[in-house]
Amino acid sequence: MSIRHGLLALLERGPRYGSQLRTEFESRTGATWPLNVGQVYTTLSRLERDGMVVQDGEDEAGHTLYAITDAGRSELSSWYERPVDRTSPARDELAIKLAMAVGAPTVDIREVIQSQRRHTVKAMQDYTRLKAQALASVPTERDEVAWLLVLEQLIFQTEAEARWLDHCEARLIRLSAAAPRDRDPDPAPPPVPAPDALHRRRR
């Protein structure tokens, strides 16, 4: 998630102060990725350092306002134009957990999958319910439409995760069925003759 570019996008609509940016960011995304004021001001400081925003006076309540610069608009335009890089995906905790569980002798990986599937299905149901509420009245405001897009992405994401979990379980079943069955233990090696028996055999 690019907080940096999200703030630039909001500032393109006009000067804002930190708390206002946080509120508008969360409103636009349905608070799916909550921010704290510290994150906002740290990001604004870096943007100001990089020449992408400038302080633009204060509002009536004394809040410092920030405005986007031409460099900031250029960066924002480039962000919109370039695709999100999927060749270096972010670390996914669930994928790492299952990868580690495969080699853990004391872990029931099927139970790990079942537990995650229950959570994923519940999340998908919650997102679907929120979508139905959002569609109860035709969304027309920018924030409403933006929140609907985020919700639908979350629904697609959880649907894909549920399918992947089904795939993981099916693969484990196939691997278990293909594994060689337990064989009878190897026969015991022949006993080693006692030293005196070897001596007699040489004679």
Side-chain angles (χ1 to χ4, degrees), residues 20-197:
Q20 187 178 13
L21 286 167
R22 182 191 65 174
T23 300
E24 291 188 14
F25 184 94
E26 293 185 352
S27 177
R28 185 69 64 88
T29 61
T32 303
W33 301 286
L35 299 179
N36 61 56
V37 174
Q39 283 179 290
V40 173
Y41 279 107
T42 297
T43 305
L44 286 172
S45 294
R46 291 172 180 165
L47 288 170
E48 186 177 12
R49 177 199 64 194
D50 296 339
M52 296 185 188
V53 304
V54 292
Q55 294 187 25
D56 189 35
E58 298 180 348
D59 66 2
E60 295 177 355
H63 299 114
T64 300
L65 297 172
Y66 292 83
I68 190 169
T69 64
D70 289 341
R73 288 190 177 88
S74 177
E75 172 62 22
L76 182 62
S77 178
S78 297
W79 180 61
Y80 282 135
E81 292 171 0
R82 64 179 176 263
V84 175
D85 184 12
R86 298 300 188 192
T87 59
S88 301
R91 293 182 182 88
D92 185 284
E93 183 180 355
L94 177 57
I96 294 172
K97 180 188 290 188
L98 292 188
M100 296 300 107
V102 168
T106 60
V107 175
D108 183 348
I109 191 170
R110 303 248 333 247
E111 179 54 36
V112 175
I113 291 172
Q114 291 287 356
S115 175
Q116 183 64 42
R117 183 187 285 113
R118 289 190 293 270
H119 174 80
T120 301
V121 169
K122 183 180 183 304
M124 187 163 49
Q125 292 170 341
D126 291 341
Y127 293 145
T128 302
R129 184 172 60 255
L130 288 172
K131 178 182 176 181
Q133 293 173 358
L135 290 174
S137 59
V138 179
T140 56
E141 298 295 328
R142 289 185 180 186
D143 288 352
E144 294 174 341
V145 175
W147 170 224
L148 183 60
L149 292 177
V150 170
L151 265 178
E152 289 171 335
Q153 191 270 345
L154 292 171
I155 291 170
F156 292 144
Q157 192 174 53
T158 50
E159 286 176 344
E161 182 171 286
R163 290 197 302 272
W164 178 65
L165 289 169
D166 290 342
H167 167 79
C168 290
E169 187 171 40
R171 180 173 293 282
L172 288 171
I173 291 172
R174 289 196 300 271
L175 290 175
S176 177
R181 298 184 179 279
D182 291 337
R183 297 176 298 180
D184 293 333
D186 293 335
V192 178
D196 56 341

